[in-house]
Amino acid sequence: MSAKTKGINASELKYIAILAMLIDHIAWLFIPTAEAAGQAMHFVGRITAPVMCFFISEGYHYTKNLRRYFTRMCIFAVISHFAYAYCFNGGFLENGTESVIATLTLSLLTVHVVNSEKIIMALKLPIILFIAYFAEQCDWGATLIIFTLTFELARGNRKNQLIAYSVSAFIYVMPVIGLLINGHDIFWENIYKFGVFLPVPLLMLYNGEKGGGKYTKWVFYIFYPAHLILLQYLNLRYS
């Protein structure tokens, strides 16, 4: 049996992202954001979305069937809409911000626009801006479109990917730095956003291997809506 390659494979990274997401959502429902515990848990939770953006870019190039991949994302975006609405908007049928699965689906569409030879260059930026507009109605907003693009446009050089991502992450936290400079007390409730830098060392350890088993790819898609429903049920049951 061959020795395991050093580093973290894709499945292990996704499991880390899932755990970070669970910690983050537990904090949103049960721990006040102003408390140190809430800040720490949300800080860890910033791992998930950027890591999934990285794998959206990777998945686009490794999938054997892009149409099936996109269809799967769309189906789980619809399923997650109801789970997210139940957890954060007040009920399964309530309108509000869409889930991060919807944002990641739009991120996948953005990657396709970037790589499509059927779309002329002059139209690509307007289309991406149009997609980003719709992303603003979803969890994390157009930020995830930008994160995904940093990984996609620098793909092929991990160091350049992480530099590009770090620059976009710094831009993301600039408003928080502004709060500190201007002496706003609300700064202390936004420290957790600096957790967007946590994916950098994790992705440095990524060894490029898939890992996991035949059904590993389904874990995130199933866990996401399932844990939202469970957490909100517990919140309503014991609050």
Side-chain angles (χ1 to χ4, degrees), residues 126-192:
I127 292 173
I128 291 172
L129 291 175
F130 190 64
I131 294 171
Y133 170 78
F134 283 101
E136 280 297 299
Q137 319 307 315
C138 309
D139 191 18
W140 278 88
T143 298
L144 293 198
I145 303 295
I146 296 171
F147 285 172
T148 305
L149 284 174
T150 62
F151 292 125
E152 177 62 26
L153 296 178
R155 192 172 183 277
N157 187 312
R158 184 73 52 77
K159 180 180 178 180
N160 288 345
Q161 280 184 309
L162 295 180
I163 290 173
Y165 168 73
S166 296
V167 170
S168 65
F170 179 76
I171 294 172
Y172 171 76
V173 300
M174 279 183 65
V176 183
I177 297 173
L179 292 174
L180 174 62
I181 293 173
N182 293 312
H184 293 293
D185 291 338
I186 198 173
F187 164 78
W188 303 106
E189 296 183 17
N190 287 274
I191 294 176
Y192 73 90

Side-chain angles (χ1 to χ4, degrees), residues 13 17 20 24 42-58 100 104 107 140 143-152 161-162 165-166 168-169 172 193-200 202-203 220:
L13 260 176
D24 187 44
H42 293 317
F43 183 82
V44 171
R46 299 311 93 192
I47 290 173
T48 308
V51 167
M52 298 313 296
C53 287
F54 174 80
F55 283 114
I56 285 293
S57 173
E58 290 291 288
V100 75
L104 292 173
S107 296
W140 278 88
T143 298
L144 293 198
I145 303 295
I146 296 171
F147 285 172
T148 305
L149 284 174
T150 62
F151 292 125
E152 177 62 26
Q161 280 184 309
L162 295 180
Y165 168 73
S166 296
S168 65
Y172 171 76
K193 292 182 180 179
F194 286 95
V196 292
F197 293 102
L198 289 178
V200 175
L202 289 173
L203 292 172
F220 181 81

